[in-house]
Amino acid sequence: MLFQSGALFTSLNVFDNVAFPIREHTRLPESIIRNLVLMKLQAVGLRGARRLMPNELSGGMARRVALARAIALDPMVIMYDEPFTGQDPITLGVIMKLIRMLNDVLGLTTIIVSHDVQEVAAISDAIYLLSNAKVVAHGKPRDLEDSASAWVRQFMHGLPDGPVPFHYPAGDYARDLLLEAG
Amino acid sequence: MLILDGLQYLGRATINFCGRLGRGNLFIARVLAGSFSLIPHFQLIVAQLYYVGVFSLAIIVVSALNVGMVLGLQMYNTLVNFGAESSLGPVVALSLVRELGPVVAGLLFAGRAGSALTAEIGLMKATEQLSGMEMMAVDPVRRIVAPRFFAGIIAMPLLAAMFSAVGIGGAYFVGVGLLGVDEGAFWSQMQAQVDWSEDIVNGIIKSVVFGVVVTWVAVFEGYDAVPTSEGVSRATTRSVVYASLAVLGLDFVLTALMFGNN
């Protein structure tokens, strides 16, 4: 599981954060743990940052370390909570490729929860759109982009007008302002 | 209507109190159940012992020195009226070993180490570090809470013993060094009147009980905190208040049980 905040252990440095699940669940010697950790950190581009503490990392770097930690034990299923939020364009592209590559090479099942529709659509096999705790549409990315549903179209293309209102329901704006002034 | 509101408030407060008490007991049962798995990971307890014990030393030593010096001065001023200033040693030692050592060390421990434990665990919860651990199939109660709990239980009697020793040193400095009490009488009467099982062992038992209670309250409040900055702040305040009240309340009960028949 990759948390949106990264959820790194603040008392451990980057290396020990990634090594944590390996040390907890295996009895591998430290030399092998070191190599495994360096391989995972190399995959997310942070091998050189292994001695930094979490408070010395940017938000994007923290999430990349968390990704390295999430794949440390080569799991069968990985869940990502908003992996693309706050990433710079270069890192965003690398992370997208990495998620897809991990999925294909290691034969994983990957579940991504995200509001970044274009990025998710670019790497997903299937998308489920949720609203009010219900699945309102599902299918392949191409099918959803061409959907006849106004709701799905508004969401997939980020349109300001449509069935989903931008404003939370409220009374008349001008009247509200005048009442406040009075 | 006012009476009904009052009754509702009382009922809600009672239900909340009972709920928290129940959660606290279940929590400590989980901590104790996971304690055996800590045996191969004893270094986790040692690391926490450093944080809760060594980091509390400065405030314990400074407070003990001041308490001992004030106690020495006040006792001397009273005893000298009866020509019994040579009893300064046992009076100070008994006060410190039986009461002031465990109690004041317990209160300082609650303020220094207890608040730090609550804030640390609460912040780990607020920043999803505990959830992250669960997602890695690592039990946070075993990995985070249990080492801190046992470190607190070990640290508290050691800190209380140090408090008593430094306090006696402070009283010696004032009584013998500044006010001219006979050094031989100070130590020999202390040795003669302070009993190992009656006084010192009972003091150790008190400090162990205070260590269990203060650390239990601290780790539970942190683990049960609402995961927001305000929630952690409230939990830290509750931790210090509840632990301090528990130390003072339990001190009376333990004193009555240990010395009530004398």
Side-chain angles (χ1 to χ4, degrees):
Chain A
M1 168 86 186
L2 179 77
F3 286 87
Q4 186 172 2
S5 63
L8 297 179
F9 304 129
T10 46
S11 57
L12 304 178
N13 66 17
V14 166
F15 183 94
D16 289 331
N17 260 286
V18 180
F20 182 85
I22 308 175
R23 286 182 179 140
E24 284 290 324
H25 291 295
T26 70
R27 293 179 185 275
L28 292 173
E30 274 301 310
S31 57
I32 293 181
I33 292 176
R34 181 178 180 277
N35 287 346
L36 284 173
V37 171
L38 292 183
M39 284 159 66
K40 305 300 177 187
L41 284 173
Q42 175 71 12
V44 297
L46 290 174
R47 184 168 50 85
R50 61 182 180 270
R51 290 192 185 86
L52 297 181
M53 296 301 286
N55 62 3
E56 297 174 289
L57 305 174
S58 68
M61 286 166 81
R63 220 161 314 150
R64 284 151 69 191
V65 175
L67 176 55
R69 189 178 66 180
I71 59 175
L73 286 173
D74 297 330
M76 295 171 74
V77 180
I78 303 185
M79 289 183 278
Y80 297 86
D81 182 13
E82 301 281 3
F84 309 121
T85 308
Q87 302 284 5
D88 64 78
I90 302 167
T91 310
L92 182 64
V94 174
I95 293 283
M96 282 171 64
K97 268 189 200 159
L98 183 65
I99 291 174
R100 185 69 228 190
M101 194 182 73
L102 286 170
N103 196 77
D104 295 341
V105 174
L106 300 177
L108 305 176
T109 300
T110 301
I111 301 168
I112 301 173
V113 177
S114 178
H115 286 86
D116 299 291
V117 178
Q118 297 308 319
E119 284 76 14
V120 170
I123 59 169
S124 303
D125 297 318
I127 295 178
Y128 284 77
L129 286 180
L130 302 178
S131 178
N132 289 327
K134 285 186 182 142
V135 175
V136 292
H138 64 93
K140 292 180 177 173
R142 172 67 64 193
D143 297 341
L144 291 181
E145 277 171 15
D146 299 336
S147 170
S149 158
W151 195 97
V152 174
R153 228 177 20 253
Q154 185 192 5
F155 195 82
M156 291 299 288
H157 298 285
L159 303 174
D161 296 319
V164 182
F166 171 69
H167 289 284
Y168 194 81
D172 182 62
Y173 184 37
R175 193 178 157 75
D176 230 3
L177 287 175
L178 288 171
L179 276 175
E180 185 65 31
Chain B
M1 201 64 185
L2 200 65
I3 295 171
L4 202 61
D5 286 347
L7 282 174
Q8 279 180 345
Y9 176 79
L10 190 68
R12 203 164 42 240
T14 308
I15 289 170
N16 284 342
F17 175 77
C18 291
R20 283 178 62 76
L21 198 65
R23 285 204 304 280
N25 282 306
L26 289 174
F27 177 75
I28 204 66
R30 272 182 72 191
V31 173
L32 295 175
S35 59
F36 291 107
S37 61
L38 268 178
I39 294 168
H41 301 287
F42 194 73
Q43 76 278 6
L44 292 175
I45 297 179
V46 174
Q48 291 308 318
L49 200 52
Y50 179 73
Y51 286 114
V52 296
V54 177
F55 283 8
S56 303
L57 261 182
I59 192 169
I60 290 285
V61 169
V62 172
S63 304
L65 194 64
N66 283 288
V67 167
M69 284 162 58
V70 169
L71 201 59
L73 186 60
Q74 293 281 18
M75 286 299 156
Y76 177 84
N77 286 338
T78 307
L79 291 170
V80 80
N81 292 330
F82 306 100
E85 64 270 23
S86 57
S87 299
L88 183 66
V91 170
V92 166
L94 287 173
S95 307
L96 283 165
V97 171
R98 283 181 171 191
E99 287 298 328
L100 291 173
V103 173
V104 180
L107 294 174
L108 293 171
F109 188 69
R112 167 62 187 83
S115 60
L117 286 175
T118 305
E120 186 188 16
I121 296 173
L123 276 172
M124 287 183 84
K125 186 179 182 186
T127 52
E128 294 181 316
Q129 293 179 51
L130 300 184
S131 305
M133 215 169 262
E134 281 174 351
M135 285 295 162
M136 285 183 263
V138 176
D139 181 9
V141 171
R142 178 185 65 77
R143 184 64 174 67
I144 298 294
V145 175
R148 285 161 175 77
F149 178 69
F150 289 108
I153 295 174
I154 297 169
M156 183 53 216
L158 297 174
L159 292 171
M162 200 158 290
F163 189 98
S164 297
V166 175
I168 290 170
Y172 171 83
F173 170 71
V174 171
V176 178
L178 300 181
L179 301 172
V181 174
D182 182 67
E183 186 177 2
F186 185 89
W187 292 119
S188 62
Q189 289 211 25
M190 189 189 298
Q191 198 175 359
Q193 292 190 39
V194 176
D195 185 67
W196 165 254
S197 60
E198 177 80 1
D199 302 314
I200 295 176
V201 171
N202 279 339
I204 293 171
I205 291 170
K206 272 187 179 181
S207 59
V208 171
V209 172
F210 296 160
V212 171
V213 172
V214 169
T215 322
W216 177 9
V217 170
V219 292
F220 173 67
E221 287 295 345
Y223 199 79
D224 201 49
V226 178
T228 61
S229 27
E230 192 196 4
V232 175
S233 153
R234 280 171 183 259
T236 308
T237 308
R238 270 201 312 270
S239 168
V240 176
V241 172
Y242 291 171
S244 303
L245 291 176
V247 165
L248 295 170
L250 278 172
D251 180 50
F252 175 74
V253 174
L254 289 171
T255 305
L257 289 173
M258 291 168 176
F259 307 107
N261 293 330
N262 289 353

